Amino acid sequence: MNNKIKNIKKLIVKDSLELDCGKLIKNFSIAYETYGTLNKNKSNAILVFHALTGDQFVTNINPVTNREGWWATAVGPGKAIDTNKYFIICSNVLAGCMGSFGPGEINPETNELFGTTFPIITIKDMVKAQIYLLKYLGIEKLLSVAGGSMGGMQVLQFSSLYPDKTYSAIPIACSASHSAQNIALNELGRQAIMADPNWNKGNYFKTDLSPNKGLAVARMAAHITYLSKKGLQEKFGRKLQEKGSLKFSFDADFQIESYLRYQGSNFVDRFDANSYLYITRAMDYFDLEKQFNGNLSLAFKNTKTKFCVISFSSDWLYPTAENKEIVIALNACGANVSFVEVNSDKGHDSFLLNVPEFLKTLSEFLNSIYNEVSNEKRI
Amino acid sequence: MNNKIKNIKKLIVKDSLELDCGKLIKNFSIAYETYGTLNKNKSNAILVFHALTGDQFVTNINPVTNREGWWATAVGPGKAIDTNKYFIICSNVLAGCMGSFGPGEINPETNELFGTTFPIITIKDMVKAQIYLLKYLGIEKLLSVAGGSMGGMQVLQFSSLYPDKTYSAIPIACSASHSAQNIALNELGRQAIMADPNWNKGNYFKTDLSPNKGLAVARMAAHITYLSKKGLQEKFGRKLQEKGSLKFSFDADFQIESYLRYQGSNFVDRFDANSYLYITRAMDYFDLEKQFNGNLSLAFKNTKTKFCVISFSSDWLYPTAENKEIVIALNACGANVSFVEVNSDKGHDSFLLNVPEFLKTLSEFLNSIYNEVSNEKRI
């Protein structure tokens, strides 16, 4: 996998970036991917932000994992985020494990892998780093920024920090500050990783062992939260792995058990345990409201960006109520905002799945912004 | 702790009991406790069933853990389940770790601790075992059977198996069959335990090591599910451990993190990892509907037992909808059933807490049954 990562597209940022934790980083890498073609007046670019376990490979086949990109349902020719029409950019977040500056990189000061000596990263740091990529690509103003879950947090942070750098913003299934329950769930994942003796205080790269069992448990826990109770009941219910009677053992009797075990073991092949710690920490630290002394609407003061906030009815991780708080804050500062709660039984995962109402909302909102911006440019 | 367990009250059942898995057990122990005084005509006895991590020490100080009994809010002199009035019985379930026949006991055939050679236990097995205790205590018919969560499952199973052995039944915050989400959450806990190398395929008693880290992670996961999103937000929100700014580390920054870590580390002192595996398995296997070929109302056919089903509005583990299915089935067979959804932000844990509406419901239902039975006995 490492060799494959070496061959992926990277921007090396020479500048210094001061992180929220106070540390300066420089000569750091941002691994990225683009899809579609940038038009002449560079007005059709959309910056997509990935979620906790995503990466820059939004669509097509991910060359590292050989699996389909994480947002292939939404991004591609003729799809909601149409690669025939738009130029899509996505980069691996800081602290990620798909080529961007992260805990699995070598610390030039020690010539050893960072591990847990890597600095704590915030959502703001992630967003700031991506500005270098836009500069490099020569894009002054994006058509849109879009993302779900942690991607949505980046959308909010970007829109707040750089109101003039995007015509529109689509925060999906997210929150302006991480709730106690979500911090608890992330902490559970971290504790599962840290409980694995192979984690070795983050120095597993010094041994031949990896904290795969702990990381798999963290993934299983997270995966349960991505699905709704109703969705799980409809898909799995109490269906048995093997028809007939129970095994009276601790083997996977129920299909839901095998499914979870598969999700766990599958994940460890493509994700790094330390990255999981760092990225969940960034999510927990996210509190846009606090950045503006408890008044979220100040985060968007005088913004001209047009927002489309999307939530899903069965998402209990980032429920509609938390998405509505964003809408309320945007309304309070007179921003242009539309809001759709999409009916779906598929829980938080809905934004990654083929949910027609959602994809139509995405497509039509982007289309209207595109037409508006195109007309403006003609004038 | 083991010495303390040796001194607790136990009934040794000489009879053979055939378990659902097909195995026969005999000479098995049932550790139990009683509170209050059995009246002359033995009509004031209430059998309380404990939940996953409970035990026979319902109220007062648990002599093994030196902590307050798990249902001290509800059981005691003048309380909803009034020990001045009723005779309360509670036993540690089969597969438990507080003195009853469980995986931490010695297998007489091998003279070694059972570990995972212990047979898989079901809710039905647990209930059947407790009948021996009633026989021993000379109680032909109980005033009531009551319990929350897995305790509620035992209430349902008991009422179905022995309709003539109780005047009333109070299933609280439970379900007639474990949902896919709940199986998933239990499987997560089991995987966390099994991922701990100290678990050693269940043979940790052969070493000096215990799978405490894995068991703590399982407890943390479960604990999150016992509380509601709103309750967590109100109690913890984003409150920091130390006032001021974030630590930019993986230490417990947020109070919810310390709280969870405490819940995890505290739990391993009083609970056995193998028992956790066995008892969660029993919950997953529980499917009263399936016992009656998919028709839950047949489980209660011709019953004269009076039911009081209680759910909590913010319980997402055993939501009101699942409790209502029990009510619907009871109505379908013409049973006498009352149903209360108690408003509470405290989630599934509400049944263990001081929730006045709940305790009043419990107290008044029991009181009316008591008066009725007393009048009947006088006639």
Side-chain angles (χ1 to χ4, degrees):
Chain A
M1 195 165 173
N2 276 336
N3 280 335
K4 283 189 181 175
I5 288 187
K6 277 178 192 156
N7 293 330
I8 61 183
K9 232 175 282 174
K10 277 186 194 182
L11 170 71
I12 307 295
V13 180
K14 306 283 182 196
D15 291 16
S16 288
L17 170 65
E18 190 184 349
L19 301 174
D20 271 345
C21 67
K23 286 191 182 148
L24 273 183
I25 59 171
K26 56 181 175 179
N27 295 318
F28 59 93
S29 56
I30 299 180
Y32 71 99
E33 198 50 61
T34 66
Y35 304 89
T37 312
L38 190 61
N39 63 12
K40 272 185 195 167
N41 51 23
K42 300 186 173 182
S43 65
N44 70 334
I46 299 174
L47 181 60
V48 164
F49 299 108
H50 71 72
L52 167 55
T53 66
D55 53 41
Q56 64 272 36
F57 299 108
V58 175
T59 191
N60 302 339
I61 295 299
N62 180 323
V64 179
T65 64
N66 290 321
R67 294 175 202 160
E68 200 170 49
W70 58 270
W71 219 10
T73 48
V75 181
K79 293 186 183 173
I81 305 182
D82 190 347
T83 48
N84 290 333
K85 193 167 160 185
Y86 309 119
F87 178 65
I88 290 98
I89 310 154
C90 185
S91 72
N92 187 215
V93 295
L94 288 188
C97 50
M98 199 56 96
S100 283
F101 184 65
E105 301 266 301
I106 286 167
N107 180 349
E109 289 173 18
T110 62
N111 260 328
E112 274 199 350
L113 294 187
F114 275 104
T116 51
T117 69
F118 191 77
I120 293 284
I121 296 292
T122 65
I123 299 290
K124 204 186 215 174
D125 296 332
M126 291 177 183
V127 164
K128 280 178 171 175
Q130 295 179 69
I131 288 294
Y132 295 103
L133 183 58
L134 297 184
K135 275 187 195 156
Y136 169 74
L137 296 170
I139 294 162
E140 287 192 2
K141 191 161 185 174
L142 293 156
L143 184 70
S144 200
V145 286
S149 201
M150 188 183 80
M153 296 179 188
Q154 291 173 78
V155 167
L156 297 174
Q157 185 69 73
F158 186 99
S159 315
S160 175
L161 272 177
Y162 311 112
D164 300 329
K165 286 204 179 298
T166 187
Y167 287 100
S168 69
I170 314 174
I172 305 161
C174 69
S175 171
S177 73
H178 227 211
S179 67
Q181 191 184 57
N182 287 9
I183 296 171
L185 291 164
N186 275 347
E187 171 68 0
L188 169 66
R190 287 190 294 268
Q191 289 295 321
I193 291 168
M194 293 174 170
D196 189 327
N198 291 352
W199 178 63
N200 193 20
K201 296 193 177 172
N203 295 317
Y204 47 89
F205 45 83
K206 291 180 180 169
T207 67
D208 287 337
L209 305 165
S210 286
N212 285 347
K213 286 189 175 179
L215 183 59
V217 170
R219 175 62 168 178
M220 283 186 244
H223 202 82
I224 296 171
T225 70
Y226 299 155
L227 309 173
S228 75
K229 194 172 188 94
K230 194 178 172 191
L232 275 168
Q233 197 61 21
E234 280 171 6
K235 190 170 174 185
F236 298 101
R238 299 182 54 82
K239 285 179 205 157
L240 299 175
Q241 266 301 94
E242 287 168 25
K243 274 195 176 176
S245 50
L246 297 165
K247 288 183 209 154
F248 291 99
S249 77
F250 295 112
D251 292 346
D253 258 301
F254 299 99
Q255 288 181 14
I256 179 65
E257 293 177 300
S258 312
Y259 174 78
L260 270 188
R261 290 181 190 186
Y262 173 78
Q263 292 296 333
S265 64
N266 205 18
F267 182 62
V268 301
D269 294 336
R270 70 171 182 90
F271 216 82
D272 172 66
N274 282 338
S275 275
Y276 200 89
L277 300 180
Y278 277 89
I279 301 178
T280 54
R281 204 53 169 156
M283 294 170 81
D284 293 346
Y285 275 17
F286 186 61
D287 190 350
L288 191 55
E289 195 171 310
K290 200 178 170 191
Q291 288 178 33
F292 292 86
N293 296 317
N295 187 343
L296 187 58
S297 71
L298 292 179
F300 308 109
K301 199 180 166 187
N302 300 326
T303 187
K304 283 178 188 143
T305 306
K306 294 188 175 177
F307 288 81
C308 179
V309 178
I310 306 176
S311 74
F312 297 95
S313 55
S314 61
D315 184 349
W316 57 274
L317 204 56
Y318 298 95
T320 290
E322 289 184 25
N323 289 273
K324 269 192 184 164
E325 281 172 18
I326 302 162
V327 178
I328 291 166
L330 285 164
N331 275 322
C333 67
N336 188 323
V337 54
S338 66
F339 167 61
V340 179
E341 183 195 39
V342 175
N343 271 318
S344 163
D345 281 344
K346 292 171 178 165
H348 184 59
D349 253 2
S350 298
F351 81 96
L352 299 170
L353 302 173
N354 185 15
V355 176
E357 189 187 338
F358 163 58
L359 295 171
K360 194 161 182 259
T361 304
L362 204 55
S363 160
E364 292 186 355
F365 177 76
L366 281 173
N367 196 45
S368 81
I369 298 292
Y370 179 75
N371 290 339
E372 207 178 287
V373 171
S374 302
N375 288 335
E376 196 182 288
K377 291 273 168 186
R378 261 179 226 126
I379 294 162
Chain B
M1 193 167 177
N2 276 337
N3 280 335
K4 282 190 181 174
I5 287 187
K6 279 178 191 156
N7 294 331
I8 61 184
K9 232 176 282 176
K10 277 186 196 181
L11 170 71
I12 307 295
V13 180
K14 306 283 182 195
D15 291 14
S16 289
L17 170 65
E18 190 184 347
L19 302 174
D20 271 344
C21 67
K23 286 189 182 151
L24 274 182
I25 59 172
K26 55 182 176 179
N27 295 317
F28 59 92
S29 55
I30 299 179
Y32 70 98
E33 198 51 61
T34 66
Y35 304 89
T37 311
L38 189 62
N39 63 12
K40 271 186 196 167
N41 49 24
K42 300 187 172 182
S43 66
N44 69 335
I46 299 174
L47 180 60
V48 164
F49 299 108
H50 71 74
L52 169 54
T53 66
D55 53 40
Q56 64 272 37
F57 299 107
V58 174
T59 192
N60 301 336
I61 296 298
N62 180 323
V64 180
T65 64
N66 290 320
R67 294 175 201 159
E68 201 170 47
W70 58 270
W71 220 10
T73 48
V75 181
K79 293 189 183 171
I81 304 182
D82 190 346
T83 47
N84 290 335
K85 193 167 160 185
Y86 309 118
F87 177 65
I88 290 100
I89 310 154
C90 185
S91 73
N92 187 214
V93 294
L94 288 189
C97 50
M98 198 55 96
S100 283
F101 183 64
E105 301 267 302
I106 286 167
N107 180 350
E109 289 172 20
T110 63
N111 260 328
E112 274 199 347
L113 293 187
F114 275 104
T116 50
T117 68
F118 192 77
I120 293 285
I121 295 292
T122 65
I123 299 291
K124 204 186 215 174
D125 297 332
M126 291 175 182
V127 165
K128 280 180 172 174
Q130 295 178 70
I131 289 294
Y132 295 103
L133 183 59
L134 297 185
K135 273 186 198 157
Y136 170 75
L137 296 170
I139 295 162
E140 286 192 4
K141 192 161 184 174
L142 293 156
L143 184 70
S144 199
V145 286
S149 202
M150 188 183 80
M153 295 178 188
Q154 291 173 78
V155 168
L156 296 175
Q157 185 69 72
F158 186 100
S159 314
S160 174
L161 272 178
Y162 311 112
D164 300 329
K165 285 201 178 302
T166 187
Y167 286 100
S168 69
I170 314 174
I172 305 160
C174 69
S175 172
S177 74
H178 227 212
S179 68
Q181 191 184 58
N182 287 9
I183 296 172
L185 291 163
N186 274 348
E187 171 67 2
L188 170 66
R190 287 190 294 266
Q191 289 295 320
I193 290 167
M194 292 175 171
D196 189 326
N198 291 352
W199 178 63
N200 193 22
K201 297 192 177 175
N203 295 317
Y204 46 89
F205 46 83
K206 291 180 178 169
T207 68
D208 286 338
L209 306 165
S210 286
N212 285 348
K213 286 189 174 179
L215 183 59
V217 170
R219 176 62 168 180
M220 284 187 243
H223 203 81
I224 296 171
T225 70
Y226 299 154
L227 310 172
S228 77
K229 194 171 187 93
K230 194 177 173 191
L232 275 167
Q233 198 60 20
E234 280 171 6
K235 189 169 175 185
F236 298 101
R238 299 182 53 82
K239 285 179 204 156
L240 297 175
Q241 266 301 95
E242 287 168 23
K243 273 195 178 177
S245 50
L246 298 165
K247 288 182 208 155
F248 290 99
S249 76
F250 295 112
D251 292 347
D253 258 301
F254 299 98
Q255 287 181 16
I256 178 65
E257 293 177 300
S258 313
Y259 175 77
L260 269 189
R261 290 181 190 187
Y262 172 78
Q263 291 296 334
S265 64
N266 205 18
F267 182 62
V268 301
D269 294 337
R270 70 171 180 92
F271 215 82
D272 173 64
N274 282 338
S275 274
Y276 199 88
L277 300 181
Y278 277 89
I279 300 177
T280 54
R281 205 53 170 156
M283 295 169 82
D284 293 346
Y285 275 17
F286 186 61
D287 190 349
L288 190 55
E289 197 170 311
K290 199 178 170 190
Q291 288 178 32
F292 292 87
N293 296 316
N295 187 345
L296 186 58
S297 71
L298 293 179
F300 308 108
K301 199 180 164 187
N302 300 327
T303 187
K304 283 179 189 146
T305 306
K306 294 190 174 176
F307 287 81
C308 179
V309 178
I310 306 176
S311 73
F312 298 94
S313 56
S314 61
D315 183 350
W316 57 274
L317 204 55
Y318 298 94
T320 290
E322 290 184 23
N323 289 272
K324 269 191 184 164
E325 281 172 19
I326 302 162
V327 178
I328 291 166
L330 285 164
N331 275 322
C333 67
N336 189 324
V337 54
S338 66
F339 167 61
V340 179
E341 183 194 42
V342 174
N343 270 318
S344 162
D345 281 344
K346 292 172 179 165
H348 183 60
D349 253 2
S350 298
F351 80 95
L352 299 170
L353 302 173
N354 185 13
V355 175
E357 189 187 338
F358 163 59
L359 296 171
K360 195 162 180 256
T361 303
L362 204 54
S363 157
E364 292 187 354
F365 177 76
L366 281 174
N367 196 45
S368 80
I369 298 291
Y370 179 75
N371 290 339
E372 208 178 286
V373 171
S374 303
N375 289 335
E376 197 182 288
K377 293 270 170 187
R378 263 179 224 125
I379 293 162

